[in-house]
Amino acid sequence: MSTIDWPPPSRPQRRRGRRIVFGLIAALLFGGGTALSYYVESLWFGALGFSDVFWKTLNFQAAVFVVFAVLTFAVLYGSFLALKPARLADITSGPILINGQPISLPVEPVLRLIALLIAVVISGLTGLGMMAQWTTLGLYWHGSAAVAAGGTVDPIFGRPLGFYLFTYPAWQLVAGWFTTLAVITCVIAGFFAVITNGTRAITRKPAGYGSLRGVSFAFAVLLLAIAAQVYLGRFARILADHQIFAGVTYTDANITLTGLLYVVGALVLGALICLVNGVRAPRLALIVGSVAPALVAYVVLTVIGWYVTSFIVKPNELVRERPYIANNIEFTRRAFALDRVERVSFPAETGLEAMDADNNRQTLENIRLWDWRPLQDTLRQIQAIRTYYDFADIDIDRYQVDGETRQMLVAARELNIERLPASSRNWINEKLIYTHGYGVTMTPVNGFTPDGGPELLLGNMPVESKVPSLKITRPQIYFGELTNTDVYVRTGQQEFDYPEGDTNSLTSYEGDGGIRIGGFTRRMLIALDRGDITKLPFSDDVNADSRLLMRRNIRDRVETLAPFLLFDDDPYIVITNDGRLTWMMDAYTASASYPYSRHFVVGRDRVNYLRNSVKAAVDAYDGTVVFYVYDEDPIIAAYRAMFPSLFRDKTAMPADLQQHVRYPELMLQLQATVYGLYHMTTPDVFYNREDLWSIASVAGLDADRQQGAQTMEPNFVLMKLPGEEALEFIEILPFTPANRNNLIGWIAGRSDEPNYGTSIVYNFPENRLVDGPLQIDARIEQNAQLSGQLSLWNRQGSQVRRGSVIVLPIGKALLYAEPIYLQAQRSPMPELRMVVLALQDRLTYAPTFEGALAALFGTAPSTLSAQPTELRPPPGESQPGAPVAPSGNGSDPYSLISEAARDLEEYQRLTAEGRLGEAGQRLEGLKQKLDQLNRRPQ
């Protein structure tokens, strides 16, 4: 008889094997690249002065990993040992007849090893998964102070706000982990029951109760875990979104929440049945039957809930749901700070007198005529200078110019390394020489040259300023929106600063930012981590005092320091009083578990609470990052308790930066979206959606550069709000009724103290039509002279680009302003060609804003052309004279265009009147003028 036998290893061998296994896993998880990455990360945090943030985060993550990994391993491997039959070797090692030959299979050692490996792997993965949720557990740990500070409680459970923001998410996380372990434990118990009973059947041994006892105990634990999930699920009802409103409904409050407690009790009862069954002689029927009470309770609850919903709520839904709708309105408005919005009725009167132009001169002087997209295209043509420079964005801000506050468009000239010529793409150029962008451009929002280009107060390289009070002392941009690569500074190579004729101006980094390269060992470790192992250790240009500037993209920079915050997509650059460049970014605290609040999508997140709690400032030269707390909400209070050194009070922000703080774009967009529904504070009106608003649409270019109706983006304007005395920098969005184009309201987020962070909504009359942006566009299209001009401009070789309509409450009237640009197809450089101004009862246009304004007040006619001298009124002249009329001799192209437009207008009028013969004559004249224009040299 031949016997295959695997004797179990000795105890020292088992210990040695375990050490090897644990060592391999530790090397995979924490060794090699991970440890190296942590080392370089610690250097990076230290260079920014946030070493304590790094180590506290790492220690907390490590503690979470160790606790949950150890607990998971103890439960899983402990369950294996506890549920394993005591004499598994006897059960599985008996002789089995295979082809008439008895064979002994001692599988217990193999099962132990497999169980150990599986437990280690699952424990490691669980630890990593829970470690990724460290912010949830950290908020639970540090949120006690914030909970005490918050006095809001929900109207259903009476729980404080902190319970939903901090405690409930942590309980959900732990309950999910516990349920997963309970399921795996049941699988282990079931596995042993199957192999034990199956082996006994093969070996013809009598079956015992040990395997069913383990299943009974494991199933009891699973039922308790499910009971915990069901109990927590009661609180999820207050976070649920429904078609009409969000939160607990009538059926939930009167049936479901109480019924779920019965389900929890039934699950606990089932767990007790399983425990008693395990203690006594276990029976499979009792294990299966232990779920019966919970199933019955759940079915009864479902049937009762359906009955109440169908026959009690639906026939009288508004009456039944009214108090719950009121709860949803109140808490959603709190969650998105709509309770800070001031509502004001605005008459939107017609007529020039309603504008009160004398008291709104500063508003008129700061109406924005440059849209950021046309300006960006133009700057790329006239200010990029070299192909590797780019303007990633155009930022709108306000600055003091000659003692007056003026609204400006500022653009940072960044270096895009991807645009370097292929012949220049080498390690030295990319890492040591082409290290930074240079300077900014600054354009008044209504500043144009005589040919329709932007008037530059700051521009060129080196930076030239037309205003003595505006200066830049540190124009180099090492940190920005396009700086996505590492560079080494303070090296033996001088850095390219800016082009200067046939030569290049060079510079060397003088800041303290970055990681010092140090000695050979540190250099090697940095090279390994940054992927420069074949270059950095052998470069003669890089020395011990050289510095590595890594993570230079400002978004990556702040998100790494504060990954628990949401950041606005639109950082903006600020010129400080001492001439340095600083990036400003708005950061938000958010939650998806604010009670009774509806969820909205923000980027990739689904949130029902948002606060602009933090302003981040990043120095464009040395990369210094500072986080200023601007709204002390409970969540940021918990993070401040977690990382005291990471945040500063807003009073610590330098005064010159405070002057450039602005209302955040994301916040206004989200508030406007929410306000469109939740401005209805009466449950009856809310239920019927009687006054639903939406953000206004405007004609513009979509992502594919196709013209069409687009939802308006927030616009920053410098204006005097009606009823206010001071000029303010505000962010605006107009509203229209749902599925209509007329205006119904207008929201403004205020950026200046003492009103910073508050919003004001102007409600327009509902008893008469107030034009919206699309209707203003329609009025332009219906104007025969204007539409004819636009048609002529759109002939082959050029393209008309319509600017965004700005809607401003001025005095008691609404003023609409729309710039129109002309762009050659071969040269994407738009130039301003027309300004359209409108009130409710009139529409005027001219090549300049001054001309259009003069036409609006009746001191000059609307005109499609102007002499070049009229495009730039003399300094100090507040209102230019009427434009000189064209000569009409046909030699002037502007005269031909004007006459063609008049022919088109007459043709349309005569056709409408049925005077077809005269209309034909006008059409023939129009063709002749178009032919003359086509024959003119291009």
Side-chain angles (χ1 to χ4, degrees):
M1 180 187 305
S2 62
T3 301
I4 301 175
D5 193 9
W6 295 345
S10 63
R11 187 171 296 174
Q13 288 177 321
R14 290 201 300 269
R15 290 176 178 171
R16 190 179 305 114
R18 291 172 185 169
R19 292 193 190 101
I20 293 173
V21 170
F22 280 117
L24 289 173
I25 294 174
L28 288 173
L29 293 178
F30 301 107
T34 303
L36 180 59
S37 177
Y38 280 141
Y39 170 71
V40 176
E41 286 291 295
S42 70
L43 296 178
W44 184 78
F45 274 82
L48 287 170
F50 296 124
S51 290
D52 57 329
V53 174
F54 172 80
W55 290 112
K56 190 163 187 177
T57 302
L58 184 61
N59 290 337
F60 192 83
Q61 290 176 334
V64 171
F65 175 86
V66 170
V67 168
F68 283 96
V70 169
L71 288 177
T72 302
F73 178 81
V75 170
L76 295 183
Y77 196 65
S79 299
F80 171 82
L81 297 177
L83 297 172
K84 177 183 68 66
R87 301 183 63 80
L88 181 61
D90 293 341
I91 296 174
T92 59
S93 299
I96 300 176
L97 297 177
I98 299 178
N99 296 328
Q101 298 293 326
I103 298 177
S104 177
L105 296 175
V107 296
E108 181 175 2
V110 177
L111 286 178
R112 281 178 176 272
L113 180 60
I114 293 174
L116 180 66
L117 289 174
I118 292 176
V120 168
V121 171
I122 294 177
S123 300
L125 294 176
T126 301
L128 290 174
M130 298 299 285
M131 187 175 72
Q133 302 295 324
W134 69 272
T135 54
T136 300
L137 298 171
L139 285 176
Y140 173 73
W141 190 263
H142 293 276
S144 56
V147 173
T152 302
V153 296
D154 78 86
I156 303 299
F157 300 103
R159 298 274 184 169
L161 181 60
F163 170 81
Y164 293 97
L165 297 179
F166 310 127
T167 306
Y168 174 67
W171 282 8
Q172 274 190 311
L173 185 63
V174 174
W177 166 76
F178 182 66
T179 303
T180 303
L181 293 185
V183 171
I184 296 175
T185 301
C186 283
V187 171
I188 295 172
F191 170 75
F192 281 125
V194 170
I195 67 167
T196 300
N197 292 326
T199 304
R200 288 182 184 278
I202 294 175
T203 58
R204 301 183 179 87
K205 293 184 179 181
Y209 297 116
S211 58
L212 285 180
R213 179 172 288 112
V215 172
S216 191
F217 286 142
F219 200 65
V221 174
L222 179 59
L223 290 177
L224 290 175
I226 295 174
Q229 293 273 37
V230 173
Y231 178 78
L232 290 176
R234 297 171 68 245
F235 300 106
R237 299 281 173 166
I238 207 170
L239 306 175
D241 291 332
H242 310 291
Q243 182 177 3
I244 297 177
F245 66 101
V248 169
T249 65
Y250 177 91
T251 303
D252 290 335
N254 293 277
I255 303 297
T256 307
L257 297 180
T258 303
L260 287 176
L261 289 177
Y262 285 102
V263 175
V264 171
L267 288 167
V268 174
L269 176 61
L272 292 175
I273 292 173
C274 286
L275 290 174
V276 172
N277 184 53
V279 172
R280 298 181 178 182
R283 290 184 294 169
L284 182 61
L286 284 178
I287 298 175
V288 175
S290 64
V291 300
L295 288 176
V296 170
Y298 185 76
V299 170
V300 171
L301 173 61
T302 303
V303 171
I304 295 176
W306 170 81
Y307 175 82
V308 171
T309 300
S310 301
F311 298 102
I312 296 179
V313 175
K314 288 297 182 182
N316 304 283
E317 189 170 30
L318 176 56
V319 175
R320 302 294 184 187
E321 302 288 16
R322 184 178 286 118
Y324 307 102
I325 293 175
N327 290 336
N328 173 226
I329 293 173
E330 177 187 355
F331 278 79
T332 300
R333 288 175 62 85
R334 286 184 187 175
F336 296 102
L338 296 182
D339 54 344
R340 306 177 186 177
V341 175
E342 178 186 359
R343 301 178 68 169
V344 177
S345 295
F346 188 79
E349 296 178 359
T350 59
L352 292 172
E353 298 78 9
M355 278 185 60
D356 192 13
D358 291 339
N359 291 324
N360 290 279
R361 181 184 59 83
Q362 291 177 301
T363 299
L364 295 173
E365 290 175 352
N366 283 280
I367 288 181
R368 181 162 66 88
L369 301 179
W370 268 117
D371 274 3
W372 72 268
R373 290 184 181 90
L375 180 60
Q376 182 184 45
D377 290 343
T378 300
L379 291 179
R380 283 172 171 168
Q381 296 296 314
I382 66 173
Q383 279 292 307
I385 312 298
R386 296 284 175 90
T387 58
Y388 41 78
Y389 285 121
D390 197 7
F391 296 93
D393 195 12
I394 308 296
D395 302 317
I396 305 174
D397 207 342
R398 67 282 199 198
Y399 287 85
Q400 289 291 318
V401 177
D402 297 331
E404 292 189 359
T405 303
R406 297 286 303 278
Q407 190 177 0
M408 298 292 175
L409 294 161
V410 184
R413 186 188 292 104
E414 296 193 57
L415 190 145
N416 188 343
I417 203 71
E418 299 297 327
R419 294 188 177 183
L420 277 177
S423 58
S424 301
R425 297 294 300 274
N426 57 65
W427 189 84
I428 292 178
N429 278 341
E430 293 183 8
K431 300 290 186 177
L432 308 183
I433 296 178
Y434 291 93
T435 57
H436 59 272
Y438 188 91
V440 299
T441 66
M442 178 181 286
T443 305
V445 292
N446 53 6
F448 292 87
T449 60
D451 59 357
E455 176 191 2
L456 297 175
L457 300 187
L458 291 176
N460 300 327
M461 292 186 285
V463 179
E464 298 174 358
S465 174
K466 295 181 180 179
V467 180
S469 60
L470 295 173
K471 60 180 180 179
I472 298 181
T473 57
R474 277 293 184 193
Q476 294 82 11
I477 302 175
Y478 286 88
F479 300 86
E481 297 182 79
L482 301 178
T483 47
N484 298 316
T485 59
D486 301 340
V487 296
Y488 300 94
V489 295
R490 290 191 184 176
T491 66
Q493 288 279 354
Q494 282 200 300
E495 305 163 39
F496 170 77
D497 202 22
Y498 58 87
E500 196 172 32
D502 295 332
T503 62
N504 293 327
S505 178
L506 305 177
T507 188
S508 293
Y509 183 71
E510 298 176 356
D512 296 326
I515 301 172
R516 186 174 179 273
I517 296 298
F520 177 77
T521 302
R522 178 186 279 199
R523 178 191 288 228
M524 289 296 295
L525 293 175
I526 291 174
L528 280 170
D529 181 70
R530 308 314 296 173
D532 284 335
I533 190 61
T534 62
K535 303 291 184 181
L536 181 60
F538 311 104
S539 174
D540 294 333
D541 294 317
V542 181
N543 54 59
D545 292 325
S546 298
R547 291 180 174 269
L548 164 66
L549 302 184
M550 59 177 277
R551 203 169 278 123
R552 297 192 300 138
N553 185 288
I554 54 175
R555 172 169 290 278
D556 294 342
R557 203 167 185 81
V558 295
E559 285 181 345
T560 302
L561 288 170
F564 40 80
L565 298 177
L566 293 177
F567 289 91
D568 202 290
D569 290 332
D570 187 23
Y572 59 100
I573 199 161
V574 170
I575 304 171
T576 62
N577 289 347
D578 60 356
R580 295 182 71 92
L581 301 177
T582 299
W583 294 98
M584 297 284 287
M585 294 185 70
D586 287 290
Y588 308 88
T589 49
S591 176
S593 56
Y594 195 93
Y596 249 128
S597 176
R598 180 174 287 277
H599 292 82
F600 293 86
V601 176
V602 177
R604 293 174 295 179
D605 300 299
R606 187 169 170 267
V607 304
N608 68 352
Y609 171 87
L610 192 75
R611 284 290 184 276
N612 176 219
S613 300
V614 174
K615 307 284 187 182
V618 183
D619 190 283
Y621 188 77
D622 60 23
T624 302
V625 181
V626 184
F627 295 97
Y628 301 98
V629 175
Y630 257 69
D631 189 344
E632 190 82 21
D633 78 315
I635 297 179
I636 201 63
Y639 283 127
R640 291 193 78 172
M642 200 183 310
F643 303 112
S645 65
L646 186 61
F647 300 100
R648 300 184 189 179
D649 292 331
K650 75 173 187 178
T651 54
M653 179 182 284
D656 53 350
L657 284 185
Q658 290 184 23
Q659 295 172 1
H660 296 280
V661 167
R662 67 187 196 185
Y663 201 93
E665 291 188 57
L666 174 61
M667 192 74 189
L668 188 76
Q669 282 181 311
L670 184 59
Q671 284 181 318
T673 301
V674 179
Y675 191 84
L677 175 61
Y678 284 90
H679 74 278
M680 296 179 283
T681 55
T682 304
D684 296 47
V685 177
F686 185 96
Y687 175 85
N688 292 307
R689 300 296 197 266
E690 296 177 10
D691 193 22
L692 186 63
W693 294 1
S694 60
I695 299 173
S697 297
V698 65
L701 297 179
D702 59 18
D704 298 324
R705 296 278 177 170
Q706 299 299 314
Q707 194 81 22
Q710 310 292 325
T711 300
M712 288 192 73
E713 299 175 347
N715 283 312
F716 286 97
V717 296
L718 190 64
M719 65 173 294
K720 184 192 296 184
L721 289 171
E724 300 288 341
E725 295 298 327
L727 198 66
E728 293 187 53
F729 188 64
I730 61 175
E731 186 179 13
I732 62 172
L733 270 177
F735 291 108
T736 62
N739 302 317
R740 296 180 62 186
N741 293 327
N742 60 288
L743 282 188
I744 194 65
W746 186 84
I747 187 171
R750 308 174 80 169
S751 301
D752 298 326
E753 297 292 352
N755 299 308
Y756 171 79
T758 62
S759 303
I760 186 168
V761 169
Y762 291 98
N763 294 329
F764 300 151
E766 297 184 9
N767 57 358
R768 57 185 174 85
L769 182 71
V770 178
D771 285 340
L774 286 179
Q775 291 171 321
I776 294 299
D777 285 328
R779 287 171 60 182
I780 293 174
E781 295 292 341
Q782 292 164 4
N783 184 287
Q785 192 171 10
L786 259 181
S787 60
Q789 179 69 80
L790 299 181
S791 299
L792 290 173
W793 276 343
N794 262 326
R795 61 182 179 155
Q796 186 177 6
S798 62
Q799 177 188 4
V800 171
R801 289 180 63 171
R802 303 279 288 271
S804 203
V805 177
I806 301 291
V807 185
L808 298 177
I810 295 183
K812 296 181 179 180
L814 286 177
L815 176 67
Y816 306 83
E818 178 177 333
I820 297 176
Y821 313 92
L822 187 62
Q823 173 181 309
Q825 291 182 356
R826 295 182 180 180
S827 176
M829 190 170 67
E831 296 178 348
L832 182 73
R833 281 293 176 262
M834 190 70 58
V835 176
V836 180
L837 298 179
L839 297 173
Q840 293 296 310
D841 58 349
R842 65 190 65 198
L843 183 144
T844 62
Y845 48 88
T848 66
F849 175 78
E850 293 84 359
L853 190 63
L856 190 70
F857 283 96
T859 59
S862 292
T863 180
L864 297 174
S865 62
Q867 293 182 358
T869 55
E870 295 173 334
L871 292 173
R872 304 297 299 170
E877 185 173 324
S878 59
Q879 180 174 304
V884 177
S887 61
N889 58 12
S891 61
D892 184 356
Y894 293 109
S895 300
L896 288 173
I897 292 172
S898 181
E899 292 174 7
R902 283 196 295 271
D903 285 341
L904 177 62
E905 184 177 5
E906 284 297 305
Y907 167 75
Q908 292 172 333
R909 182 181 64 81
L910 293 170
T911 302
E913 294 175 356
R915 299 159 63 182
L916 301 182
E918 296 176 59
Q921 296 176 2
R922 284 290 184 178
L923 180 62
E924 186 63 32
L926 174 62
K927 290 180 180 179
Q928 293 175 2
K929 294 177 178 62
L930 292 178
D931 288 340
Q932 294 180 46
L933 286 170
N934 287 327
R935 288 195 299 268
R936 292 183 63 84
Q938 302 296 318

